[in-house]
Amino acid sequence: MRVLFKSIGVLLMLFFWSDSVLAQYNIQHQPPVAIERNSITQLEFSVPGLLESDIQQARLFYRYGGDFSYSQMEVNFRDNDLVADFSLDNPNASIVEYYLEVELFSGESIYFPATLPSENPVRVEIVEGSRGQSDKPEMDGIDYTILSPLPGNGVTKDDVLIAIALFYDINAIEPGQFKLYLNNIDISEDADLSDYYISYKPQELGSGFYTIELVYETSAEEYSVARWQFTVVEPGAASFSGFGENNIPQISAELTGRNQVISGNVNNAYTGRTRVSGKYGLWKYSLNGYLTSQESDRLQPQNRYGIDLMYSDWFMLEVGHVYPTMSDFSIRGRRIQGLNTNINTLDDKLTIQFMYGNLDRKITNQYDSLAVRDIVNSTGDVVSKNYLLTYQDEGRGTFKRKLVGGRISVGDDRNWQIGLHAMKIHDDTTSILNARNFLDVVNSGLELNSSLTQQDRDNLQSDPSRLAVEGGSIKPKENVVLGTDLKIGFMDNTLRLESDAALSALNNNVYGGQLTRERADDLGFDITNNAADFLDRLSWLIIVNENMSALPLRFNENENGDLIGELFLPSSIFATNHELSYRNQSNNARLQYRWIGPNFNSLANSTIRRDVAGFTASDRLNLFSNQLYLTLGFEHLKDNVTNTREATTKTITYRTNASWYPVDRSLPRINMGLRYRTRNNGVDRQNYLLSSDLLNSAALNIRQEIKTINGQDSVVTTITPTPRQNRTFNFTSGVTQQFYFMDARNDASLNFNSLRTSDDVFAFGDVKSSSLSMNLNSRFYELPLESRLGLTYNYTTSGSGQNEIWITGLYAGGNYRILEDRLSLNGRLAFTNNKVNSKILEINENGTAEDPKDDYYEFGSFTDSDKFQTYVLQLGARYDFDQYHALLFDANFTNVSGGSRANDRIVQLRYLFRF
């Protein structure tokens, strides 16, 4: 028991020590005040000191309000930042939550937010936005044809020509005049405005989204005639649509060579990207590929490739590295290497989806040697031997993990639809050599036992199980998920009912095959003939044995006292979710109930929250023509849904959010949110051996009670579950303001977040975190210059002061264009100051080392402090030879004072070719 307490203290120390190690990587992110529907939002994450060569994989996990699992998408390293081009895929959502995970080649991961990201994600309101919407009434009686740019197209700044033709009876409308707006700025004086044709040729538009609106103004009111969006892009990336069908494919290619010196070690890398896309009639296609010299058979695939093929809206095929979604309970945006296809027939009344591929590719175990270690007695005599098979260079591998799944649904999503889905995942046990005993080593053909004496070989040959594998051998898994879903729309789809139910069977080790009567007898119980026959017939779908997360057997004693296993369907493998929603232009209300068993697992979706039941209610009001959004939410959840544990934790959460998102950009856009959460398992903090001032520091929670045993009352000491009673208060806020100053359009933003968790029953359970970030982007009119300034500050303390982290960051950067915008120069200077204080949580034995019941936790006398700074200088240039060819140069110089990595550099040259 005492070893357990000390191990807990060591684990806490290692946890906080790892936090301090990764603190040198401070992820800086300015969350948007809101995300506009039907648009692409760039989420940028800056990590000073982190190089592209450090990153194995970066993923954005996101979900919508009320969801119980996260979807995921890859995040690209672009212009020395991690950038996610995020677009909403849920038309009914009102809130999106997300967090970032960056997996490093070192095996570690860093997150944003850094503190429990899956529980405390970034929350952003979804608004209708100004793009595609107007705050003015629509004008009747005027028809129009948009000539240029076509809605949604991407054009270069030299090709921007706004042109629209009008068709109407001039005598049938009220007298007035036309006005033209570009991004809500009146440009009528510079435009050519006639009665039936409107045109405008803007000068020096920078890259980005633009909104055009044609307005007809009368003496009483302004009316919206037409409103659409387009994008100004770099040369070669424009999407051209002329008069008639355009069947010319768009092709782009990029070659990159990178020279880098990391801690004095040279590590060059080369990459290539290509993309081909186009259409022919109703067919659309795209091909993409990414190759890197950092591809390694010791990692999951770094190279990417994909082929997408679509015919109208009834056939879709994706091949390569794809990200399919079938249901929340099975797979939701997880990358697989294979194919995903959808077929919609019978007027979209029948939908068939099929996917097949690999979740993980095989990575071979790298065994080192077979070590022999003597076991000696107290007198030093050898009494036995241990045999251990070790790995070299942490060379544990993985099986190839295969996936096959499909879904079929009848009906359309808007009115009614019922669907069935199934998915099977299994590890291919033949894909790698996985030594479990000495016979596997002998049959492998590897010279791993060459150092053994003949006696050692004889010992292992007679009992192959005596060979132990360092850390244990890898265990192949198998998983099956079966589910159904129902969607019904009422009142023209304003009222919707959606229901999902699924069951999941997971085998954590399929070695040995399915459970038989002989195997059950070896394990000390028996199973009926019917049960054995059923498990044998089921083995084509999933192997059922004693390693199941929930064994489908119920045990009863017979008249001889023997345990007999009978078939039983455990409730712990089920999951259900039911949702009733009401949505119109001004209101979005949801009522949701979920029940997810503790043994429900999907190997394709590790973010599903298990062992939880309860309901969530929320309502979001859209006021003042979708400019003010008010949200109220309430959630009541509990764990221990199958009553297998001694205590049940109840979690109650209250949420409110207010967003002001005016169309007029001269007004600030504001978002504020509050979240209050309580968690309580109803267990009191008790320990009669400790005084009241030490009670909340107790290592054990114990109580004494009087029980009658054999007719006599006796005092019994019982160890009770660990009490849980805490309160969390979370405040988030964000403000953005656009203003014009010094011949520049300036976009300023400010975000402040505060998280406080107070633990009422554990003295070292408090957590506090505060973060502040400010950002100023300026685009100058008289100069071809764009600048960016920023400040970040974060303070986090956990364990009631056991671990403290201060991080302050400053950065400044800009982009300058010369030679008629053919040459673009950019640079960025970033600085972060990091300070970490850590204390060890120790066990005080309270003078009674032989009895751990009165032990309590306390801070150690030593405080470990670390302070270091990170300096990052980034320089870049791009020269466009013409609209097809470009040359790019990037350089990154990093210095971490006080750390082991100093004076790192990375220099790369890229060549782009598009046609």
Side-chain angles (χ1 to χ4, degrees):
M1 183 70 72
R2 186 170 308 282
V3 173
L4 174 63
F5 295 155
K6 292 185 178 180
S7 298
I8 292 174
V10 171
L11 289 174
L12 289 172
M13 178 186 69
L14 290 176
F15 171 76
F16 293 123
W17 177 81
S18 65
D19 272 356
S20 65
V21 170
L22 295 177
Q24 62 175 306
Y25 294 127
N26 172 35
I27 302 181
Q28 301 170 355
H29 172 58
Q30 193 85 4
V33 171
I35 291 179
E36 294 185 357
R37 202 182 304 276
N38 300 321
S39 66
I40 297 176
T41 301
Q42 282 195 345
L43 302 176
E44 298 182 355
F45 301 85
S46 177
V47 193
L50 185 67
L51 306 179
E52 184 177 10
S53 57
D54 297 326
I55 302 171
Q56 179 177 343
Q57 182 177 229
R59 292 178 294 175
L60 183 78
F61 291 83
Y62 67 93
R63 67 182 181 185
Y64 302 102
D67 289 351
F68 49 86
S69 67
Y70 287 89
S71 296
Q72 54 184 277
M73 61 177 292
E74 288 199 29
V75 180
N76 300 315
F77 195 84
R78 189 187 310 163
D79 295 331
N80 298 304
D81 285 334
L82 291 165
V83 181
D85 295 319
F86 181 76
S87 59
L88 300 168
D89 53 14
N90 185 335
N92 299 317
S94 59
I95 290 178
V96 63
E97 302 175 325
Y98 64 85
Y99 68 90
L100 177 73
E101 179 188 24
V102 183
E103 299 178 29
L104 307 179
F105 279 109
S106 63
E108 301 159 323
S109 294
I110 55 177
Y111 298 88
F112 185 92
T115 305
L116 300 175
S118 61
E119 291 190 23
N120 304 301
V122 178
R123 290 174 54 88
V124 181
E125 286 277 331
I126 299 172
V127 300
E128 302 305 323
S130 58
R131 297 174 190 157
Q133 278 197 346
S134 176
D135 58 342
K136 304 174 181 63
E138 294 184 1
M139 182 68 182
D140 296 327
I142 300 180
D143 293 328
Y144 60 88
T145 297
I146 297 174
L147 302 177
S148 175
L150 292 182
N153 264 19
V155 296
T156 66
K157 60 183 180 61
D158 296 329
D159 296 330
V160 177
L161 172 63
I162 300 172
I164 181 171
L166 305 174
F167 308 92
Y168 63 97
D169 183 356
I170 195 170
N171 298 315
I173 63 173
E174 187 177 352
Q177 63 177 349
F178 289 103
K179 300 178 69 175
L180 191 64
Y181 289 85
L182 181 63
N183 278 4
N184 297 315
I185 299 175
D186 190 351
I187 56 173
S188 303
E189 292 185 0
D190 299 323
D192 182 8
L193 303 177
S194 66
D195 290 336
Y196 300 102
Y197 180 79
I198 309 294
S199 66
Y200 172 66
K201 177 66 175 176
Q203 302 293 326
E204 298 298 331
L205 286 185
S207 301
F209 289 100
Y210 290 90
T211 300
I212 308 166
E213 184 171 23
L214 180 63
V215 171
Y216 188 72
E217 182 183 49
T218 68
S219 59
E221 195 166 7
E222 286 187 342
Y223 297 89
S224 179
V225 177
R227 185 181 178 92
W228 75 99
Q229 299 83 42
F230 70 96
T231 308
V232 175
V233 298
E234 296 292 337
S239 53
F240 172 75
S241 295
F243 301 101
E245 190 73 16
N246 176 23
N247 296 321
I248 301 176
Q250 300 178 31
I251 304 176
S252 65
E254 176 183 321
L255 299 175
T256 302
R258 184 170 68 237
N259 168 258
Q260 54 189 14
V261 178
I262 310 299
S263 298
N265 298 317
V266 179
N267 180 18
N268 297 330
Y270 307 93
T271 61
R273 300 176 187 267
T274 183
R275 179 176 177 83
V276 180
S277 61
K279 62 180 181 178
Y280 185 83
L282 296 179
W283 288 95
K284 295 181 180 179
Y285 60 88
S286 68
L287 299 87
N288 63 84
Y290 171 77
L291 298 176
T292 174
S293 60
Q294 290 186 300
E295 178 77 3
S296 170
D297 59 4
R298 298 302 305 162
L299 301 170
Q300 292 305 314
Q302 301 300 299
N303 293 334
R304 303 285 193 274
Y305 62 88
I307 302 174
D308 297 342
L309 186 64
M310 180 181 296
Y311 182 80
S312 185
D313 58 354
W314 72 266
F315 174 77
M316 184 275 295
L317 173 66
E318 300 173 317
V319 180
H321 291 264
V322 298
Y323 303 81
T325 292
M326 193 163 60
S327 75
D328 289 343
F329 288 125
S330 55
I331 185 170
R332 183 176 175 180
R334 172 77 180 272
R335 176 169 68 109
I336 68 172
Q337 187 174 0
L339 64 88
N340 177 47
T341 183
N342 276 281
I343 300 176
N344 301 319
T345 63
L346 303 179
D347 246 354
D348 289 339
K349 296 298 190 297
L350 177 64
T351 302
I352 301 173
Q353 180 183 9
F354 176 76
M355 64 186 68
Y356 176 82
N358 299 322
L359 275 178
D360 298 315
R361 75 176 180 188
K362 69 174 184 179
I363 297 178
T364 303
N365 284 321
Q366 289 185 331
Y367 295 111
D368 186 12
S369 62
L370 203 159
V372 182
R373 297 172 182 172
D374 294 333
I375 300 176
V376 298
N377 58 18
S378 58
T379 62
D381 298 326
V382 177
V383 295
S384 183
K385 292 184 178 182
N386 282 337
Y387 302 94
L388 180 66
L389 183 61
T390 61
Y391 293 98
Q392 57 175 316
D393 300 326
E394 300 180 356
R396 291 176 63 88
T398 59
F399 294 104
K400 178 190 291 185
R401 179 162 288 177
K402 297 182 177 180
L403 175 147
V404 60
R407 180 179 182 270
I408 183 170
S409 64
V410 179
D412 65 271
D413 182 79
R414 181 175 178 84
N415 295 311
W416 68 272
Q417 184 182 83
I418 184 170
L420 299 172
H421 61 267
M423 182 185 70
K424 177 179 179 178
I425 300 173
H426 71 280
D427 289 337
D428 183 0
T429 57
T430 65
S431 60
I432 64 172
L433 168 63
N434 187 37
R436 292 175 289 156
N437 54 46
F438 183 67
L439 292 181
D440 291 336
V441 174
V442 173
N443 296 329
S444 69
L446 300 177
E447 297 296 328
L448 298 175
N449 59 343
S450 59
S451 61
L452 298 181
T453 65
Q454 187 60 46
Q455 181 181 359
D456 291 332
R457 295 182 186 183
D458 293 340
N459 291 339
L460 286 171
Q461 196 75 36
S462 61
D463 186 4
S465 62
R466 289 185 63 182
L467 176 65
V469 181
E470 183 180 26
S473 61
I474 307 170
K475 297 178 175 58
K477 297 183 178 183
E478 195 168 53
N479 180 216
V480 170
V481 179
L482 306 174
T484 181
D485 55 86
L486 173 68
K487 300 177 182 179
I488 303 177
F490 305 94
M491 301 166 54
D492 197 24
N493 206 39
T494 57
L495 181 65
R496 288 182 61 83
L497 173 65
E498 300 185 12
S499 181
D500 297 87
L503 66 86
S504 167
L506 173 66
N507 191 323
N508 292 296
N509 186 359
V510 299
Y511 279 140
Q514 73 268 15
L515 184 66
T516 62
R517 298 196 67 180
E518 293 76 11
R519 175 63 178 157
D521 184 63
D522 293 339
L523 295 172
F525 61 90
D526 193 12
I527 57 176
T528 63
N529 288 330
N530 289 337
D533 292 342
F534 177 78
L535 297 182
D536 182 62
R537 293 193 301 269
L538 191 65
S539 61
W540 70 272
L541 181 62
I542 185 171
I543 294 175
V544 177
N545 57 27
E546 67 277 11
N547 300 310
M548 300 294 294
S549 59
L551 193 63
L553 295 174
R554 177 188 284 124
F555 296 97
N556 297 304
E557 288 188 5
N558 61 12
E559 61 276 7
N560 298 322
D562 299 327
L563 288 177
I564 304 296
E566 299 178 346
L567 288 177
F568 164 69
L569 190 59
S571 61
S572 61
I573 66 173
F574 282 90
T576 61
N577 180 60
H578 312 283
E579 179 180 315
L580 182 65
S581 62
Y582 175 79
R583 186 173 187 266
N584 57 26
Q585 291 184 347
S586 60
N587 187 259
N588 191 344
R590 298 177 67 188
L591 179 62
Q592 179 186 28
Y593 177 80
R594 74 193 72 168
W595 192 101
I596 305 176
N599 296 119
F600 185 90
N601 294 274
S602 171
L603 294 179
N605 189 350
S606 60
T607 66
I608 298 175
R609 183 178 176 184
R610 297 178 291 145
D611 194 15
V612 63
F615 67 90
T616 302
S618 65
D619 191 14
R620 206 269 288 271
L621 301 176
N622 307 344
L623 307 174
F624 301 110
S625 300
N626 291 327
Q627 296 185 89
L628 178 62
Y629 300 84
L630 299 177
T631 303
L632 296 174
F634 174 76
E635 185 174 71
H636 185 283
L637 303 175
K638 68 172 186 177
D639 63 4
N640 193 25
V641 297
T642 55
N643 296 316
T644 56
R645 293 189 290 178
E646 295 185 52
T648 299
T649 300
K650 295 181 180 180
T651 303
I652 299 176
T653 305
Y654 303 88
R655 286 191 176 98
T656 182
N657 199 90
S659 294
W660 169 244
Y661 204 78
V663 175
D664 187 353
R665 290 309 308 273
S666 65
L667 299 175
R669 293 177 173 180
I670 304 172
N671 178 73
M672 290 189 297
L674 296 173
R675 176 172 65 108
Y676 179 72
R677 182 185 67 197
T678 62
R679 284 181 173 169
N680 193 333
N681 65 357
V683 178
D684 296 329
R685 174 66 70 174
Q686 302 178 67
N687 192 315
Y688 66 95
L689 296 173
L690 294 175
S691 58
S692 58
D693 60 321
L694 295 176
L695 183 60
N696 285 358
S697 303
L700 282 178
N701 198 51
I702 60 176
R703 68 167 179 251
Q704 286 187 326
E705 54 185 341
I706 298 177
K707 290 186 177 181
T708 302
I709 302 175
N710 296 327
Q712 295 184 352
D713 292 340
S714 300
V715 178
V716 178
T717 301
T718 304
I719 299 178
T720 66
T722 301
R724 186 166 192 177
Q725 184 177 339
N726 58 52
R727 295 165 286 112
T728 297
F729 179 81
N730 187 203
F731 171 73
T732 60
S733 62
V735 180
T736 65
Q737 174 68 65
Q738 187 175 102
F739 61 94
Y740 296 87
F741 179 70
M742 296 181 62
D743 292 324
R745 191 190 75 185
N746 303 277
D747 291 281
S749 58
L750 171 68
N751 289 78
F752 175 74
N753 298 318
S754 176
L755 176 69
R756 299 286 187 273
T757 296
S758 301
D759 199 312
D760 296 330
V761 292
F762 185 48
F764 305 98
D766 291 354
V767 176
K768 297 180 181 180
S769 179
S770 299
S771 64
L772 174 70
S773 61
M774 294 182 290
N775 190 67
L776 176 65
N777 292 345
S778 302
R779 176 175 294 174
F780 294 84
Y781 293 118
E782 299 298 327
L783 295 173
L785 173 66
E786 297 178 23
S787 65
R788 184 176 182 180
L789 301 173
L791 165 68
T792 62
Y793 173 78
N794 179 273
Y795 170 72
T796 300
T797 175
S798 54
S800 300
Q802 183 181 0
N803 193 60
E804 292 182 287
I805 300 176
W806 294 265
I807 301 175
T808 303
L810 297 169
Y811 62 91
N815 181 283
Y816 192 80
R817 304 182 303 277
I818 56 177
L819 300 179
E820 298 180 346
D821 288 351
R822 298 181 68 179
L823 177 61
S824 176
L825 305 174
N826 64 81
R828 178 172 179 171
L829 179 63
F831 163 79
T832 59
N833 183 67
N834 306 265
K835 181 181 179 181
V836 180
N837 288 340
S838 299
K839 302 176 183 178
I840 296 177
L841 198 59
E842 298 178 339
I843 292 287
N844 189 314
E845 297 177 344
N846 207 13
T848 56
E850 69 283 353
D851 186 1
K853 292 188 179 66
D854 61 350
D855 291 356
Y856 60 90
Y857 293 105
E858 65 179 3
F859 284 138
S861 58
F862 176 73
T863 299
D864 184 19
S865 297
D866 190 14
K867 186 176 182 180
F868 54 92
Q869 295 81 35
T870 301
Y871 305 87
V872 179
L873 175 62
Q874 299 167 348
L875 300 173
R878 171 173 178 152
Y879 184 78
D880 292 295
F881 297 98
D882 52 35
Q883 60 179 328
Y884 306 114
H885 304 268
L887 193 64
L888 292 87
F889 169 81
D890 295 294
N892 186 311
F893 303 92
T894 303
N895 177 275
V896 181
S897 66
S900 60
R901 295 175 50 195
N903 300 321
D904 297 338
R905 75 167 187 264
I906 175 172
V907 179
Q908 67 179 7
L909 190 66
R910 292 184 289 165
Y911 171 68
L912 276 70
F913 175 50
R914 294 188 176 99
F915 65 89

